[in-house]
Amino acid sequence: MLRLIIGLLIIALIAAVLGFGGIAGAAAGIAQIVFYVFVVLLVLSLIFRLIRGA
């Protein structure tokens, strides 16, 4: 999932440099959403691991 976020950010940076603002904004927005989903899943995983005691 982190590879997806990094890939989208690279696409956003390249698009921004080339002047494609709409594509850059969309890619950055998608990367931000995927990042927040990743953080939520990470926190849930840690909580469930603590509950199970593993």
Side-chain angles (χ1 to χ4, degrees):
M1 191 173 286
L2 287 176
R3 288 183 187 170
L4 176 64
I5 295 168
I6 292 170
L8 287 169
L9 288 176
I10 290 172
I11 290 171
L13 288 173
I14 292 171
V17 168
L18 295 176
F20 298 106
I23 295 172
I30 293 170
Q32 187 177 14
I33 291 169
V34 173
F35 175 74
Y36 289 135
V37 169
F38 171 76
V39 170
V40 167
L41 291 176
L42 176 67
V43 170
L44 287 175
S45 174
L46 292 174
I47 289 172
F48 285 133
R49 183 172 293 205
L50 287 174
I51 290 172
R52 288 182 50 195

